Amino acid sequence: MARRSHEDWVALIQQQSASGLTITAFCRLHKLSISGFYARKADIAKMSTPKSAPFVKAILTSTTIISFASVFMINLGRQGVG
């Protein structure tokens, strides 16, 4: 059996999605390994996911630090009032 290219797998995954069939039914119809289909689908999803950081770098300015310190000090002062 000939090996399928990356493009072939992308097309098969798109066909399965558009077919309305379950992955199991689609794989049986096209004589594909169910576990192989899931593995290729996961590999392709990983490749299409952008490699971005989950966090954004924050740049603090002196105004930000002073504002935070002021709020922090005000909150500490409120805790002492009783």
Side-chain angles (χ1 to χ4, degrees), residues 29-68:
L29 181 65
H30 293 277
K31 297 179 176 34
L32 300 169
S33 160
I34 297 167
S35 61
F37 187 92
Y38 277 108
R40 283 301 194 142
K41 186 175 179 180
D43 289 343
I44 290 168
K46 285 179 192 174
M47 284 188 243
S48 64
T49 303
K51 303 283 187 208
S52 62
F55 297 99
V56 177
K57 182 179 180 180
I59 300 172
L60 299 179
T61 63
S62 59
T63 307
T64 305
I65 295 169
I66 291 169
S67 297
F68 176 75

Side-chain angles (χ1 to χ4, degrees), residues 69-82:
S70 299
V71 171
F72 185 70
M73 295 302 277
I74 291 168
N75 286 337
L76 282 177
R78 288 187 186 156
Q79 288 179 358
V81 177

